[in-house]
Amino acid sequence: MFEHKYIDREKSWLAFNARVLQEAGDDSVPLLDRLRFLGIFSNNLDEFFRVRFAAIRRLSLSGISGEKYLGGVSAQQLIKDITDIVIQQQSESLRILNNIEEKLKTENIFIVHENEVNSEQEVFLKDFFIQKLSPELVTIILNDLAEFPVLKDSLGYLAVKLVMKKNQEVRYAMIEIPKMVNRFVVLPSSDEKQYVILIDDVIRMNLGNIFNIFSYESVSAHMIKITRDAQLDIDSDLSKSMLEKISSSVKDRRIGEPVRFIYDQEIEKDTLKFFLDKMNIDSTDSIIPGGRYHNRRDYMNFPNLGRFDLLYKKNDPLPIPGLSLEGSILEKIAKKDYLLNAPYQSFAYLIKFLREAALDPKVTSIKITLYRLAKNSQIISSLINAAKNGKKVIVQIELQARFDEASNISYSEQMQMEGIQLIFGIKGLKVHSKVCVIERMEKSKVKRYGFISTGNFNEGTAKIYTDVTLFTYHQQILKDISKVFDFFDINYKIQRYKHLIVSPQHTRHRFVKMIDREIAHSLAGRKTYIKLKMNSLSDIPMIDKLYEASNAGVKIQLQVRGICSLIPGVKGLSENIQAISIVDNFLEHSRVYIFGNAGFTEVYISSADFMTRNLDARVEVTCPIYDEDIKNELIENFNIGWKGNVKARFHSYKLDNKYRVRGDNPIFRAQMETYKYYQSKVEPIEILKEE
């Protein structure tokens, strides 16, 4: 019998981020997109330390060993293991960055340091520093301060050491690298060569200007960065509104406990010791040596320099066959269900639905759940437009959407001013469902229209996250959505749903029943299967249930982008389970659950992963697909992903991210083939009309 039954979720997540890093290191990925993946890797790691690592650290400091919660590993040991893995990944990311920079040189693109600029560029940068950068700088002399300043979470700082001429006295300072100035400065080009410099180096160039009042012998500046615990401590004061409480907690987050400190490994030992001592950072924190630059997440916004040949070719989102953006979308949905698969198809259909509802005199109300919103959200402007047209608009907005709290607070205040009724969720339960229902008077009767999605109603992420949205006129499904909103109002009353599967009351039980049904089919000799696509699989009882199905002979295919605590392909445990992860140009985000049911196939889309929090501690919605064409479409989508042999890696206990071996088979890049699949369904005249 195999020694282990589960993979630690934190290590599995780090393996997912290693897959992102693989994309950055992949020579077949366009160079500027490789930089983007390096930025995504860094951004992911920041969030991991702010949330997951911080939680383990809190457990460690509490004196509880944590084996019960961490799969038999102590919190202290897990912290050590994570730190070792991250140090290795950071080293690999630095090697990859150096490799990319060398390859950019062959394309006549040069990322230069402050001592590599020519005289013309130096003049340009001096003017840039005086006009744009200097006014944004915050510089603090540290030696004589009674209290060390709070370093902001995940911002970059230059730790400065000044050695004075008089008595060789050492003074320390820090310079905050401003967020309001683009990290990358494009320099004047020459001889068909393009040059970019980071503002970190522009600051280094101008240290003499910054510290000109001091008589110093030498000055050096090395980058440091701190990551803080992102947990919100919600005030229990009953006199305060939820909006006030979350707003206050977000402000307090900036002084959360440090959980990671990264430093330029070229920094002088005395400078490093000074900062660690002053910030009370010790060995219980993750102290990680890095390169010259941190906050490599900024590489997500590296300038394209007009070099579109060094980026993935952009495919325009396609129209949904039979559903025009010109006519009435409600009229079409009344006749049949439609599926939107973004970013392959245009997210504009969802905006069109809300804009039409806002103007339609027969529409009386709009109810919608919101989790993460785009900057300058068209969703919000559509809802405000509806309220101005006299519609009753009810919005459930999740104020505790991690790292989007400030944005959601701002949007909440904006909507309140426009008379939109807001619901701020349920104590102890995040609302993660993605649903909307409108009511329309038709021949003196109320009819409902709506949509249910696997992803956020966010036109920004809809360009890079793969998500499916069902537009439907199915009155019983939409009645169930209305019951979800009733639950928000009266959450002590358990609703009974005829079609939807809703967390926290029903999801676990219903999925267990469906897996049990597949087990019964298999034991009775009937052919059946389970195909599941999700972001994360870490809930132990659900994993055990899938192991049970495997041992009963059920063939199980899993597409799990991120955490996968299940170990596939182990004799006597999971020999009938295969599990892959696809990491490519788009972020795989859809949750699609397919049960063979001995020929009577059932297909569901969901906002929920197989994680304990999604099953038991959030409001999630899973929706059955009844339209046979859409059912087949989702099954075909799954199968296209399963056939992928370019960006598909196998999940395994070794966490080695081995690629699926292509062998003699032709190249089959799943995301590109999915686009071709939708392209084949569209008449050329429809594409022209959409353009």
Side-chain angles (χ1 to χ4, degrees):
M1 185 66 183
F2 194 68
E3 183 185 354
H4 302 278
K5 283 187 73 178
Y6 316 107
I7 297 169
D8 173 79
R9 60 170 282 174
E10 274 67 39
K11 291 178 185 174
S12 182
W13 186 92
L14 288 169
F16 154 65
N17 212 28
R19 295 192 282 279
V20 176
L21 193 57
Q22 280 180 324
E23 290 297 294
D26 187 343
D27 284 334
S28 71
V29 175
L31 272 173
L32 294 181
D33 276 309
R34 287 178 66 185
L35 279 180
R36 178 171 68 91
F37 277 112
L38 202 65
I40 294 167
F41 164 81
S42 180
N43 188 61
N44 287 349
L45 205 53
D46 282 349
E47 292 195 6
F48 173 78
F49 270 90
R50 294 171 78 185
V51 181
R52 290 303 308 162
F53 184 89
I56 298 161
R57 182 179 176 275
R58 285 196 300 273
L59 197 61
S60 170
L61 293 174
S62 72
I64 302 168
S65 77
E67 280 97 336
K68 179 182 173 184
Y69 309 101
L70 302 171
V73 182
S74 72
Q76 292 84 353
Q77 182 60 46
L78 191 53
I79 284 173
K80 182 184 180 304
D81 292 349
I82 288 170
T83 302
D84 290 345
I85 293 168
V86 170
I87 287 172
Q88 184 274 322
Q89 288 185 350
Q90 289 279 37
S91 174
E92 174 68 0
S93 73
L94 188 58
R95 184 196 68 75
I96 289 170
L97 178 59
N98 291 335
N99 174 266
I100 294 170
E101 288 186 0
E102 287 303 310
K103 288 186 180 295
L104 285 171
K105 288 176 185 176
T106 67
E107 297 288 344
N108 278 334
I109 295 171
F110 299 85
I111 301 173
V112 295
H113 295 174
E114 72 275 14
N115 55 2
E116 296 174 326
V117 298
N118 61 35
S119 54
E120 181 192 358
Q121 292 167 344
E122 192 173 342
V123 170
F124 171 85
L125 285 172
K126 278 188 177 175
D127 183 64
F128 174 84
F129 179 79
I130 292 166
Q131 300 297 330
K132 293 187 178 176
L133 190 50
S134 179
E136 297 288 340
L137 289 185
V138 175
T139 305
I140 304 171
I141 308 298
L142 300 168
N143 297 61
D144 303 324
L145 290 181
E147 195 173 326
F148 197 80
V150 174
L151 271 68
K152 295 174 189 170
D153 177 65
S154 294
L155 275 188
Y157 293 86
L158 287 176
V160 180
K161 177 184 177 182
L162 296 150
V163 180
M164 301 299 165
K165 288 180 180 176
K166 186 178 179 182
N167 303 326
Q168 296 292 291
E169 180 194 357
V170 175
R171 283 181 173 266
Y172 296 105
M174 70 179 190
I175 302 170
E176 184 180 303
I177 296 173
K179 282 177 70 176
M180 303 309 291
V181 180
N182 194 306
R183 185 88 181 275
F184 304 98
V185 182
V186 179
L187 297 170
S189 57
S190 59
D191 302 325
E192 297 184 351
K193 294 177 180 178
Q194 294 175 292
Y195 298 90
V196 177
I197 190 169
L198 276 78
I199 60 171
D200 319 30
D201 289 330
V202 181
I203 295 169
R204 287 188 177 100
M205 270 184 75
N206 288 276
L207 289 173
N209 189 329
I210 295 167
F211 297 106
N212 59 16
I213 65 168
F214 295 96
S215 179
Y216 60 85
E217 189 176 279
S218 65
V219 61
S220 60
H222 296 85
M223 196 170 176
I224 61 172
K225 167 181 157 180
I226 195 161
T227 307
R228 296 186 180 277
D229 188 334
Q231 184 186 36
L232 290 180
D233 293 317
I234 308 299
D235 191 340
S236 60
D237 186 347
L238 296 175
S239 68
K240 292 182 181 176
S241 70
M242 181 59 77
L243 202 59
E244 289 174 300
K245 290 176 185 178
I246 301 291
S247 183
S248 173
S249 295
V250 170
K251 287 174 186 171
D252 289 344
R253 178 182 276 165
R254 72 183 187 90
I255 54 173
E257 284 294 309
V259 291
R260 178 179 59 157
F261 180 87
I262 308 178
Y263 63 92
D264 179 350
Q265 52 199 323
E266 298 295 321
I267 196 170
E268 297 94 337
K269 286 183 180 177
D270 59 332
T271 308
L272 178 61
K273 184 176 186 306
F274 174 85
F275 277 87
L276 291 175
D277 288 348
K278 290 289 185 183
M279 297 168 69
N280 296 316
I281 292 174
D282 57 32
S283 58
T284 62
D285 302 295
S286 202
I287 301 171
I288 296 173
R292 182 180 174 92
Y293 310 103
H294 313 318
N295 270 9
R296 287 201 281 271
R297 66 179 180 216
D298 292 336
Y299 281 98
M300 288 192 288
N301 298 311
F302 191 84
N304 63 45
L305 302 168
R307 293 295 304 272
F308 298 104
D309 56 316
L310 301 181
L311 290 163
Y312 276 123
K313 179 179 176 285
K314 289 274 191 290
N315 289 315
D316 293 330
L318 298 162
I320 299 173
L323 196 61
S324 171
L325 286 168
E326 292 178 6
S328 166
I329 200 166
L330 298 183
E331 218 172 84
K332 288 284 189 179
I333 293 167
K335 293 173 184 170
K336 73 179 293 291
D337 288 356
Y338 288 89
L339 189 78
L340 160 64
N341 193 343
Y344 306 108
Q345 295 171 310
S346 175
F347 190 74
Y349 289 98
L350 195 141
I351 305 295
K352 162 74 173 169
F353 180 103
L354 291 173
R355 291 211 178 280
E356 183 176 333
L359 297 179
D360 187 339
K362 293 181 180 178
V363 171
T364 57
S365 74
I366 301 174
K367 298 175 184 176
I368 191 169
T369 59
L370 300 177
Y371 194 74
R372 298 191 195 280
L373 291 155
K375 192 176 180 181
N376 303 319
S377 169
Q378 294 175 41
I379 302 287
I380 296 295
S381 64
S382 299
L383 295 172
I384 289 172
N385 191 14
K388 286 181 182 293
N389 276 302
K391 318 296 182 194
K392 182 179 181 181
V393 181
I394 298 174
V395 174
Q396 195 294 320
I397 185 163
E398 182 49 70
L399 294 181
Q400 294 185 70
R402 189 172 278 128
F403 308 128
D404 279 78
E405 297 96 345
S407 170
N408 286 3
I409 287 165
S410 174
Y411 277 130
S412 296
E413 290 169 344
Q414 192 179 337
M415 287 189 285
Q416 275 185 335
M417 286 177 64
E418 300 293 348
I420 291 173
Q421 181 184 331
L422 298 183
I423 302 170
F424 291 125
I426 303 158
K427 189 174 181 181
L429 291 177
K430 272 191 182 181
V431 178
H432 191 246
S433 53
K434 328 289 186 185
V435 295
C436 174
V437 61
I438 70 167
E439 292 183 343
R440 189 172 188 265
M441 292 302 297
E442 297 177 5
K443 297 178 180 176
S444 304
K445 286 186 178 178
V446 174
K447 294 291 182 181
R448 296 182 176 95
Y449 299 74
F451 50 84
I452 300 125
S453 186
T454 65
N456 301 309
F457 304 138
N458 181 321
E459 54 272 31
T461 57
K463 294 173 184 173
I464 50 173
Y465 285 32
T466 70
D467 273 304
V468 292
T469 302
L470 176 74
F471 293 101
T472 187
Y473 180 68
H474 191 292
Q475 294 302 296
Q476 293 303 311
I477 286 176
L478 295 166
K479 188 176 179 182
D480 275 1
I481 293 180
S482 292
K483 287 181 181 178
V484 174
F485 283 92
D486 291 341
F487 174 66
F488 296 148
D489 267 347
I490 311 170
N491 40 68
Y492 55 81
K493 182 182 176 184
I494 304 300
Q495 300 287 337
R496 299 177 76 86
Y497 304 97
K498 290 187 177 178
H499 299 270
L500 297 183
I501 304 170
V502 180
S503 293
Q505 298 94 350
H506 309 294
T507 307
R508 180 184 295 280
H509 172 68
R510 286 288 300 278
F511 276 123
V512 166
K513 275 187 76 173
M514 285 188 274
I515 297 170
D516 279 338
R517 184 182 60 193
E518 301 303 312
I519 291 170
H521 283 316
S522 185
L523 292 175
R526 293 185 283 270
K527 284 189 176 180
T528 196
Y529 62 84
I530 297 173
K531 299 175 189 250
L532 309 176
K533 180 176 181 179
M534 65 189 83
N535 297 321
S536 297
L537 170 57
S538 63
D539 182 78
I540 298 302
M542 292 304 290
I543 291 171
D544 286 343
K545 183 54 67 174
L546 291 171
Y547 286 157
E548 185 186 336
S550 170
N551 286 329
V554 181
K555 299 294 183 187
I556 301 171
Q557 294 175 339
L558 303 174
Q559 293 184 45
V560 185
R561 186 199 76 225
I563 297 166
C564 183
S565 295
L566 177 149
I567 305 171
V570 177
K571 192 169 178 59
L573 178 72
S574 56
E575 59 198 274
N576 286 307
I577 304 177
Q578 291 180 285
I580 64 168
S581 170
I582 295 171
V583 176
D584 198 354
N585 191 29
F586 300 139
L587 181 89
E588 295 288 330
H589 195 254
S590 303
R591 288 94 165 187
V592 179
Y593 302 126
I594 304 166
F595 297 90
N597 194 22
F600 297 93
T601 309
E602 291 185 0
V603 179
Y604 299 83
I605 63 172
S606 181
S607 62
D609 292 309
F610 278 14
M611 299 178 78
T612 306
R613 70 187 188 197
N614 299 112
L615 300 170
D616 301 331
R618 288 185 170 186
V619 179
E620 306 274 9
V621 168
T622 299
C623 179
I625 301 297
Y626 294 138
D627 182 283
E628 288 300 320
D629 291 338
I630 296 176
K631 253 193 200 181
N632 291 332
E633 180 182 332
L634 288 167
I635 293 168
E636 286 166 7
N637 263 258
F638 185 97
N639 293 339
I640 289 169
W642 192 257
K643 284 171 64 180
N645 59 20
V646 178
K647 299 294 185 180
R649 289 86 159 170
F650 287 110
H651 285 289
S652 80
Y653 183 73
K654 293 179 181 177
L655 300 175
D656 50 7
N657 289 329
K658 280 193 175 174
Y659 286 88
R660 171 173 273 161
V661 178
R662 190 163 71 241
D664 296 329
N665 296 315
I667 288 172
F668 195 90
R669 187 173 161 203
Q671 290 186 352
M672 186 57 66
E673 296 300 326
T674 303
Y675 186 81
K676 288 178 184 175
Y677 168 83
Y678 282 107
Q679 206 170 25
S680 71
K681 290 179 172 293
V682 178
E683 297 290 333
I685 193 162
E686 282 188 275
I687 296 178
L688 288 172
K689 193 183 288 184
E690 292 298 323
E691 288 175 349

